[in-house]
Amino acid sequence: MTYAASIAAAPVIREPLHAPVAHLVRGGVVEGVHYGSVVVLAADSGVDLQIGDIEAAFHPRSALKPVQAVAMLRAGLPLDGELLSLAAASHSGEERHLAGTRRILELAGVTEDDLRNVPDLPYDPVVRDAWIREGRLPSRLAQNCSGKHAAMLMTARLNGWSLDDYLDPGHPLQQAIAEIVEDLTGQAIAQVTVDGCGAPLFSVSLHGLARAAARITTAPAGTPEARVADAMREHAEMASGSGRDVAALMRAVPGLLTKDGFEGVQMAALPDGRAVAVKIADGADRARGPVAAAALARAGVAPALLAEFGSVPLLGGGAVVGGLRPARVLDPLSG
């Protein structure tokens, strides 16, 4: 499957014109406002809703990982199931994530020493606290992108590409990924920089990210796109972790694919092509989930399926005195 013929010009690099998307309400008074941008696509790929600036160049961060996984499959990566889900993961650093990453490295014939992502402690706070109590140090394996990096090494090894510089934007692997980013988003890349883990980060638009999500979930069975979607939906905890909201959301909404990213980014899509993408301007993760849930409700997902994701409680003196809710323009689930 290819969309190369429909690739548009790169989005403009500018200060995004974000709009209010979430309110922090305490005791019936709006205490804080989160700005951001939201796009909701219909099944025919038309824009059903746009708030803020959906066309400016932005960094999709880890929400782009399913696209990177598609690119690696197209380049010959032979993974499926939970290991493919891990290749598209921002994992929590649980033992199953570490074991899965070791397995990918073993299949590739490389070791943890070949990884070039930055050493870190596990992302999940409970796992991280236990790691610290045990006196364990930051490691490349524990860093949340290690599954993706292991898959990158495996893809490079299978193609006979060099391993030491697999993160260089000019490397054949990263060139292949960039091509698929443009293919699935339908637009040229605006800028290439470095993500937190050290991998190249490709700037597109929020609209382009939603298009990519839709194209992954609507692809025919057996294609790289469908394989990634199936793996992430069937092994949601491998793509994130136990207790993570994106895993719970995929379990709650039949057929949904969703992926979060640092700095308040999330994309989600249904098998019929309805899709949403969210960017919270200040990067606040607390606003990301409720805004994404409200966007999915606007896309037609039954509100009952989204109720637990629609707000974040705010405590005062140990009691709930308010919450963080989507702005009214999104028809918040909380009413």
Side-chain angles (χ1 to χ4, degrees), residues 241-321:
S242 303
R244 294 272 290 279
D245 66 313
V246 284
L249 188 58
M250 284 194 278
R251 290 194 300 269
V253 181
L256 182 73
L257 172 70
T258 189
K259 181 71 186 72
D260 56 345
F262 281 165
E263 295 302 318
V265 181
Q266 187 167 343
M267 67 78 161
L270 293 154
D272 64 1
R274 287 175 290 159
V276 308
V278 167
K279 164 63 181 173
I280 306 301
D282 62 0
D285 197 60
R286 69 179 185 179
R288 171 191 55 77
V291 171
L296 285 168
R298 289 294 299 265
V301 175
L305 299 177
L306 300 166
E308 68 176 287
F309 309 99
S311 64
V312 176
L314 178 66
L315 302 182
V320 176
V321 296

Side-chain angles (χ1 to χ4, degrees), residues 18 32 47 49 55 84 93 114 135 138 168 174 188 201 204 213 228 243 287 311 335:
H18 293 303
V47 176
L49 174 72
E55 303 296 354
L84 177 54
D114 294 297
D168 189 313
Q174 302 303 335
L201 176 60
V204 293
V228 169
S311 64

Side-chain angles (χ1 to χ4, degrees), residues 67 220 238:
V67 177
M238 285 297 277

Side-chain angles (χ1 to χ4, degrees), residues 39-43 209-211 213-214 217 268-270 272-277 295-296 299:
V39 60
V40 177
L41 300 184
L209 178 63
R211 276 195 300 264
T217 59
L270 293 154
D272 64 1
R274 287 175 290 159
V276 308
L296 285 168

Side-chain angles (χ1 to χ4, degrees), residues 70-113:
V70 169
M72 288 188 276
L73 290 184
R74 289 194 188 185
L77 183 70
L79 299 179
D80 277 299
E82 63 178 13
L83 293 185
L84 177 54
S85 184
L86 183 60
S90 299
H91 66 70
S92 291
E94 299 166 32
E95 186 51 45
R96 62 176 153 187
H97 300 129
L98 307 186
T101 302
R102 290 190 192 98
R103 179 58 179 155
I104 296 174
L105 293 172
E106 179 184 348
L107 291 170
V110 296
T111 71
E112 183 179 349
D113 291 337

Side-chain angles (χ1 to χ4, degrees), residues 43-239:
D44 64 0
S45 76
V47 176
D48 260 359
L49 174 72
Q50 65 178 87
I51 298 172
D53 195 342
I54 69 170
E55 303 296 354
F58 92 120
H59 297 318
R61 303 299 299 270
S62 287
L64 200 63
K65 281 178 178 173
V67 177
Q68 293 171 307
V70 169
M72 288 188 276
L73 290 184
R74 289 194 188 185
L77 183 70
L79 299 179
D80 277 299
E82 63 178 13
L83 293 185
L84 177 54
S85 184
L86 183 60
S90 299
H91 66 70
S92 291
E94 299 166 32
E95 186 51 45
R96 62 176 153 187
H97 300 129
L98 307 186
T101 302
R102 290 190 192 98
R103 179 58 179 155
I104 296 174
L105 293 172
E106 179 184 348
L107 291 170
V110 296
T111 71
E112 183 179 349
D113 291 337
D114 294 297
L115 293 170
R116 293 291 179 266
N117 58 318
V118 294
D120 202 356
L121 294 169
Y123 177 74
D124 183 271
V126 175
V127 178
R128 181 171 60 248
D129 288 349
W131 191 281
I132 293 170
R133 285 196 303 272
E134 294 165 5
R136 302 171 75 177
L137 298 176
S139 78
R140 298 184 193 278
L141 201 66
Q143 197 268 338
N144 76 89
C145 301
S146 64
K148 177 184 77 174
H149 281 256
M152 285 181 171
L153 282 169
M154 188 175 187
T155 305
R157 170 59 64 86
L158 290 170
N159 283 279
W161 298 328
S162 57
L163 301 184
D164 289 348
D165 60 343
Y166 75 91
L167 295 184
D168 189 313
H171 190 280
L173 170 66
Q174 302 303 335
Q175 291 291 300
I177 291 173
E179 179 181 347
I180 303 309
V181 169
E182 294 187 334
D183 190 8
L184 293 181
T185 63
Q187 62 188 169
I189 293 166
Q191 184 70 277
V192 180
T193 185
V194 182
D195 210 338
C197 66
L201 176 60
F202 306 104
S203 302
V204 293
S205 70
L206 198 65
H207 191 178
L209 178 63
R211 276 195 300 264
R215 287 170 173 174
I216 289 172
T217 59
T218 58
T223 61
E225 294 89 336
R227 286 168 58 192
V228 169
D230 288 345
M232 293 182 67
R233 288 182 295 220
E234 292 170 15
H235 304 277
E237 285 77 11
M238 285 297 277

